Amino acid sequence: MLQLVNRDRATQGLPALALDEGGAQSAGQAHAEDMAHLGYLGHWGSDGSVPEERVTRAGGADVDFENAYCVTDEKTRALDPAARFPPAEIERAESMFFNETPPNDGHRKTILGKWRKRVGIGIAMPHAFENEIIVPCISQEFVDTYGTYEPLPTAIKVGATLHIAGTLSGDVKVGAVGLSRNDLPKPLPPAELNKRRFYPLPMPYEMFWPHGYKTRIELKTSGQSFSLDVPVSDHGERGLYEVSVWAQHAGEKDFAYVSLRTIRVE
């Protein structure tokens, strides 16, 4: 799958990606197994998780863009730990992603992301019932790796002050730190998971910028390093809060996500 992804990127003059063997890989494998076990295709997990939540739990910190492929019959199956993954099925999955046409070409755009650096690949095979032909379930987790970040707690109280800090690589300009909020996740049945095919990255309810910008709390910067101490509260609401780091790539006017992590706020 990695070879196929890089082959397809090369057709558009884009650099090859390295295999992520950390958070993206672990999160992708867990999601592929969850889909294979329950027979669904989507970006929410059966525990209600979203891609960046799964990457965060697995120890990742970079922003994640997910492609997924699986059966959708909502049958519960055991996983086949001794399964062989037919190359033709792997090629078919990548071909379906890459050969999409506008306006329904979200998977293709994810593969061809200009600023991608690494990809984690999860793959699982459900155990077939008698006379069944089963395809492998696949999760591609593309990550933009542009910095290192100090750890965040897994959970805090509403209104508590959160320390956010890190250092970005020299090929991007430090931008801002953002906070967004989703509802706390809850388990979802396969029928609902199959309906949730599109997942947009959450937009912050507030962003914090360095000196020179109009901002409620100033983001402290020193070269490529940044830090921020901010009370976490979106009108006092509980939820799954998301901490984003924004940077500006060379030649770009806009700032973009380079890191996205989740934290439970109770």
Side-chain angles (χ1 to χ4, degrees), residues 85-97:
F85 302 106
E89 289 296 335
I90 307 301
E91 292 173 7
R92 180 172 179 266
E94 176 64 14
S95 178
M96 289 180 66
F97 291 150

Side-chain angles (χ1 to χ4, degrees), residues 3-211:
Q3 292 172 348
L4 297 175
V5 165
N6 285 332
R7 176 203 66 189
D8 291 341
R9 286 177 59 85
T11 66
Q12 307 302 309
L14 294 169
L17 305 180
L19 182 66
D20 183 282
E21 297 182 359
Q25 183 80 8
S26 297
Q29 185 62 33
H31 190 53
E33 292 177 2
D34 191 42
M35 291 190 296
H37 175 55
L38 297 174
Y40 75 91
L41 169 61
H43 298 295
W44 276 261
S46 61
D47 59 357
S49 62
V50 293
E52 59 269 22
E53 182 182 3
R54 294 189 288 272
V55 171
T56 299
R57 287 194 310 224
D62 301 310
V63 65
D64 174 67
F65 302 87
E66 182 180 86
N67 284 343
Y69 174 90
C70 195
V71 295
T72 60
D73 59 10
E74 299 167 17
K75 292 182 180 179
T76 300
R77 298 177 175 87
L79 301 182
D80 186 351
R84 296 176 63 86
F85 302 106
E89 289 296 335
I90 307 301
E91 292 173 7
R92 180 172 179 266
E94 176 64 14
S95 178
M96 289 180 66
F97 291 150
F98 184 68
N99 292 314
E100 290 176 335
T101 57
N104 300 310
D105 58 344
H107 298 95
R108 176 185 171 90
K109 288 179 177 177
T110 298
I111 292 168
L112 297 178
K114 186 177 180 181
W115 307 113
R116 306 288 178 266
K117 289 288 189 73
R118 307 176 70 84
V119 60
I121 297 168
I123 182 166
M125 183 72 84
H127 186 80
F129 295 124
E130 187 175 358
N131 298 321
E132 272 192 327
I133 297 176
I134 291 294
V135 301
C137 295
I138 298 167
S139 183
Q140 298 175 331
E141 310 291 338
F142 295 87
V143 288
D144 293 3
T145 309
Y146 288 93
T148 57
Y149 311 95
E150 293 185 12
L152 297 177
T154 57
I156 61 173
K157 297 292 185 181
V158 174
T161 296
L162 181 65
H163 179 71
I164 305 163
T167 301
L168 299 186
S169 58
D171 49 350
V172 294
K173 177 184 176 182
V174 177
V177 166
L179 292 176
S180 57
R181 184 185 64 83
N182 289 329
D183 292 335
L184 287 169
K186 58 183 180 180
L188 297 168
E192 176 63 25
L193 294 167
N194 269 326
K195 297 176 183 177
R196 299 190 178 199
R197 295 294 172 80
F198 177 70
Y199 176 70
L201 291 178
M203 291 303 297
Y205 64 80
E206 187 169 16
M207 294 184 71
F208 305 92
W209 296 88
H211 181 72

